[in-house]
Amino acid sequence: MLLDSQVVTDTVNAAFDSIINKLNQGDIFFFQYCGHGQQVEDLSNDEADGLDEAFAFYYAPKVCEKAKGYTLDKHYTDDQLKIKIDAIRKKLGPNGQVIMVVDACHSGTIEKGTDDEVVRGTGLACRVTDAAKIRNKNSGGFGLDFDVIDQNMAKFYVFSACRAHELAYELKENSTGALSYYFAEGMEKLRGKASFNNLYSYIDGKIKYRF
């Protein structure tokens, strides 16, 4: 578990690498991120809107244009995440499973809330001042999308707090991300009857009802 200022690119990569070394074929890997998310400048030129989705780590600037010389090193893009998740899926093999819960803005699929809630990120895109130089530096790991169906790798399931262009919201009464709260509640109530489908339906219904 990494919290607050521990969440920087080096420690996250080290944690992934440590876990990869411990995994065995057929294992289940569970990953949960609860924090800020932000769209950032696409350095691989593979996104139609020119933006990647990223985790905004503890020291990440909200307005990148004001951080002179910023190279996106305090953000963690979906392209970077894919490299680690693919390594895990290959290690687990076709009988393994990867389950991800991403409770952050710009993360994926579940309905968002209303504008008076506290958000888990920002709608302001992070653009850098010298994208061409940074693009060349990072070209090895960028430009890749998740391949959800690959029979040579572990199955891949994702619970996301919102769509790629949306903001994720917290519950007012406890400052908890709506996805995290209802994911835990759903697991508790469904218990042995839980499946990916009925857990998703439970969360989806609760978030729509709540907001």
Side-chain angles (χ1 to χ4, degrees), residues 111-132:
E111 292 294 324
K112 66 183 179 66
T114 56
D115 290 338
D116 60 346
E117 299 287 333
V118 176
V119 298
R120 305 183 74 78
T122 174
L124 181 65
C126 178
R127 298 187 183 276
V128 295
T129 55
D130 195 351

Side-chain angles (χ1 to χ4, degrees), residues 16-62:
F16 272 128
D17 292 341
S18 175
I19 290 169
I20 290 169
N21 288 333
K22 297 175 183 177
L23 291 173
N24 297 304
Q25 290 270 320
D27 282 349
I28 297 173
F29 171 73
F30 179 83
F31 171 83
Q32 183 169 8
Y33 175 80
C34 300
H36 291 300
Q38 188 173 19
Q39 289 186 305
V40 301
E41 187 158 359
D42 172 26
L43 299 179
S44 56
N45 292 322
D46 67 332
E47 298 284 353
D49 62 358
L51 298 170
D52 274 320
E53 285 68 55
F55 299 148
F57 286 166
Y58 190 82
Y59 296 106
K62 180 177 180 179

Side-chain angles (χ1 to χ4, degrees), residues 123-149:
L124 181 65
C126 178
R127 298 187 183 276
V128 295
T129 55
D130 195 351
K133 183 182 295 184
I134 303 167
R135 183 177 295 119
N136 293 333
K137 178 181 177 182
N138 293 321
S139 59
F142 287 73
L144 307 172
D145 291 323
F146 283 104
D147 184 2
V148 177
I149 301 175

Side-chain angles (χ1 to χ4, degrees), residues 184-195 198-199:
E185 184 179 87
M187 288 291 289
E188 175 66 23
K189 291 192 174 182
L190 294 170
R191 290 184 175 266
K193 297 180 180 179
S195 68
N198 65 17
L199 179 57

Side-chain angles (χ1 to χ4, degrees), residues 11 23-24 34 36 58 77 86 90 94 102 113 126 143 160 164 168 173 176 194 205:
T11 58
L23 291 173
N24 297 304
C34 300
H36 291 300
Y58 190 82
T77 68
D86 275 359
K90 289 175 183 176
V102 184
C126 178
S160 300
E173 55 268 29
T176 301

Side-chain angles (χ1 to χ4, degrees), residues 57-144:
F57 286 166
Y58 190 82
Y59 296 106
K62 180 177 180 179
V63 183
C64 296
E65 294 90 331
K66 294 182 179 180
K68 187 175 181 181
Y70 182 56
T71 61
L72 295 183
D73 58 301
K74 296 175 179 63
H75 284 79
Y76 203 79
T77 68
D78 48 4
D79 297 332
Q80 291 170 289
L81 181 63
K82 174 193 161 52
I83 294 172
K84 297 301 183 184
I85 296 299
D86 275 359
I88 290 170
R89 293 177 68 197
K90 289 175 183 176
K91 184 77 180 284
L92 297 181
N95 293 321
Q97 294 182 18
V98 171
I99 303 166
M100 289 179 58
V101 177
V102 184
D103 198 353
C105 290
H106 310 295
S107 57
T109 54
I110 297 177
E111 292 294 324
K112 66 183 179 66
T114 56
D115 290 338
D116 60 346
E117 299 287 333
V118 176
V119 298
R120 305 183 74 78
T122 174
L124 181 65
C126 178
R127 298 187 183 276
V128 295
T129 55
D130 195 351
K133 183 182 295 184
I134 303 167
R135 183 177 295 119
N136 293 333
K137 178 181 177 182
N138 293 321
S139 59
F142 287 73
L144 307 172

